[in-house]
């Protein structure tokens, strides 16, 4: 297993009592994020992430060889309490490959996590608003039909991004910010 540790700027800014902000362009403190590719299961996909032009740039190539099919970048474990938030806003752009923003409540891969699909934008910046009640639950990449609960919102330990299509190809995702209101 090859793990690449990266220093990313991540800042949770309490802009008011109701707003949390991950701003990849204006953070003052760095936090280690790390790449997890399908090599943890024998796959051959590759991904890398850097801070570039005041944004997080995550890119690579998904391979389906050896049962592969994903690349991800994740924050280190911590406590992210979103219990006061009801909506998320994210500004991002992608190539023609769909990605997802992820929320984990456990370090164990078989425990369900939560995802927000980020549709491909063909290189154009877009802003989406997502009610947190609409964030979907997944177990090992398969939707469960459940949604993010208020209890889970208070217990998030990690966030990240993952390629969201199991197809071979080059991917690019650039994220400016994620705001929770």
């Amino acid at each position: 297993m090859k793990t690449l540790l990266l220093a990313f700027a991540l800042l949770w800014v309490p802009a008011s009592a109701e707003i949390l902000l991950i701003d990849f362009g204006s953070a003052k403190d760095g936090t280690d994020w790390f790449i997890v590719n399908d090599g943890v299961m024998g796959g051959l996909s590759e991904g890398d992430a850097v801070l570039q032009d005041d944004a997080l740039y995550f890119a690579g190539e998904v391979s389906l060889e050896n049962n592969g099919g994903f690349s991800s970048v994740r924050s280190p474990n911590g406590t992210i309490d979103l219990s006061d938030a009801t909506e998320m806003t994210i500004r991002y752009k992608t190539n023609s490959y769909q990605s997802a923003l992820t929320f984990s409540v456990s370090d164990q891969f078989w425990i369900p996590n939560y995802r927000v699909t980020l549709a491909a934008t063909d290189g154009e910046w877009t802003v989406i608003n997502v009610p947190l009640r609409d964030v979907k639950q997944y177990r090992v990449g398969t939707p469960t039909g459940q949604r993010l609960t208020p209890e889970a919102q208070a217990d998030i330990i990690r966030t990240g991004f993952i390629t969201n299509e199991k197809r071979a190809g080059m991917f690019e995702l650039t994220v400016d910010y994620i705001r929770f209101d």
Side-chain angles (χ1 to χ4, degrees):
M1 173 174 69
K2 180 178 177 183
T3 302
L4 175 63
L5 291 177
L6 301 170
F8 285 138
L10 170 66
L11 182 63
W12 290 93
V13 178
S16 75
E18 301 170 359
I19 296 175
L20 292 175
L21 178 67
I22 301 173
D23 186 340
F24 292 104
S26 66
K28 296 177 184 172
D29 299 318
T31 303
D32 291 336
W33 283 49
F34 57 97
I35 298 290
V36 176
N37 292 320
D38 54 21
V40 298
M41 303 178 319
L44 302 173
S45 298
E46 295 182 1
D48 197 7
V50 296
L51 285 178
Q52 174 179 307
D53 299 327
D54 291 333
L56 170 67
Y57 179 72
F58 172 48
E61 184 173 6
V62 172
S63 170
L64 301 180
E65 299 297 316
N66 293 341
N67 294 317
F70 77 89
S71 181
S72 68
V73 60
R74 303 171 184 183
S75 71
N77 288 354
T79 301
I80 305 169
D81 185 351
L82 298 179
S83 59
D84 289 336
T86 59
E87 183 176 76
M88 176 190 72
T89 303
I90 181 169
R91 182 173 187 257
Y92 74 97
K93 66 180 177 177
T94 70
N95 64 352
S96 61
Y97 207 99
Q98 187 182 86
S99 297
L101 170 64
T102 63
F103 301 102
S104 297
V105 294
S106 173
D107 212 17
Q108 306 302 316
F109 77 90
W110 63 86
I111 301 295
N113 68 4
Y114 300 88
R115 290 187 185 180
V116 173
T117 298
L118 304 176
T121 69
D122 295 323
E124 299 295 322
W125 284 105
T126 190
V127 176
I128 62 169
N129 296 305
V130 179
L132 290 176
R133 69 178 177 274
D134 291 345
V135 175
K136 296 178 182 175
Q137 185 185 70
Y138 287 77
R139 182 184 305 272
V140 193
T142 303
T144 66
Q146 302 296 312
R147 304 288 174 132
L148 182 65
T149 64
E151 295 79 20
Q153 279 183 235
D155 292 334
I156 294 169
I157 65 163
R158 181 179 61 234
T159 188
F161 298 96
I162 190 167
T163 55
N164 205 37
E165 297 180 64
K166 191 168 181 171
R167 70 174 168 90
M170 303 296 291
F171 69 90
E172 293 180 14
L173 170 66
T174 306
V175 181
D176 182 11
Y177 64 84
I178 309 163
R179 189 177 82 195
F180 301 93
D181 296 294

